[in-house]
Amino acid sequence: MPGTIIEMSKIKQMLRLYDTGYTNRQIAKALSIDKETVNKYVRQVKSGDIPVKSLLKMEDLELEKHFYAGNPAYTDARMEKFLELLPYFKEQLSHKHVTRYHVWEEYKQRFPDGYGRSQFFFHLKQNLVAAIKPTTVLTDTYTPGNYLFVDFAGDTLSYVDPETGEII
């Protein structure tokens, strides 16, 4: 699948085969990996200053850091501004009928060179999902079937008492 990260064990197998003299095509066939993927890793190894033997001795996390440098989005100046404004975004989104799109439009008016809509939504979602706390905690005294929980479009949350039929 394009864009997926290969497991470090496969990369180590690839490095071992490369070190023993296999061609890139032979490595690709032996490991059931696309030839262009093998070419990419071999080019990285050849252009790097670390010998294959040393790469094979590395722990998986260290090897992963060598091949995948990380996401540069968080070193971007736009990200700094975004993170400064994040509490404001969260506060605005807590109001009824304020959408992510409204918040993004306001952001783009203030920062025309800021993130586009899709990147803004992505980073906003990443930060909002990380802060989610549970909304309902059912205690050990809860008896299944005693109450019916009904949520009407998010604005009202009602509980129906099964004995009286009264909405609480």
Side-chain angles (χ1 to χ4, degrees), residues 9-10 25 54-55 63 71 76 79 82 115 126 134-135 138 145 165-166:
S9 61
K10 272 211 175 180
R25 284 179 197 244
S54 298
L55 290 172
L63 187 63
N71 188 346
D76 191 357
M79 180 54 77
F82 177 85
Y115 286 121
Q126 291 294 320
T135 57
L138 300 176
E166 183 180 317

Side-chain angles (χ1 to χ4, degrees), residues 38-116:
V38 175
N39 290 342
K40 179 184 94 168
Y41 285 103
V42 169
R43 274 194 303 272
Q44 279 184 285
V45 169
K46 285 181 179 178
S47 66
D49 54 349
I50 302 174
V52 176
K53 301 269 188 221
S54 298
L55 290 172
L56 288 169
K57 291 178 184 175
M58 289 182 179
E59 294 290 325
D60 285 356
L61 290 174
E62 192 178 353
L63 187 63
E64 185 174 9
K65 188 186 275 186
H66 176 75
F67 283 108
Y68 307 110
N71 188 346
Y74 298 100
T75 61
D76 191 357
R78 296 180 299 176
M79 180 54 77
E80 291 176 28
K81 285 289 183 198
F82 177 85
L83 292 174
E84 285 174 20
L85 293 169
L86 189 60
Y88 172 74
F89 298 151
K90 287 180 181 179
E91 190 267 326
Q92 288 297 309
L93 288 169
S94 68
H95 297 124
K96 283 187 181 180
H97 311 296
V98 175
T99 64
R100 296 177 306 155
Y101 190 80
H102 291 123
V103 174
W104 173 73
E105 283 181 326
E106 183 180 339
Y107 166 78
K108 281 302 274 187
Q109 285 175 354
R110 289 176 63 185
F111 302 102
D113 294 334
Y115 286 121

Side-chain angles (χ1 to χ4, degrees), residues 142-156:
Y142 170 76
T143 307
N146 249 5
Y147 293 98
L148 171 68
F149 299 100
V150 182
D151 183 2
F152 294 98
D155 284 347
T156 59

Side-chain angles (χ1 to χ4, degrees), residues 6 22 26 29-30 46 49 90 133 166:
I6 295 180
Y22 279 68
Q26 291 171 326
K29 188 174 181 179
K46 285 181 179 178
D49 54 349
K90 287 180 181 179
K133 293 181 175 60
E166 183 180 317

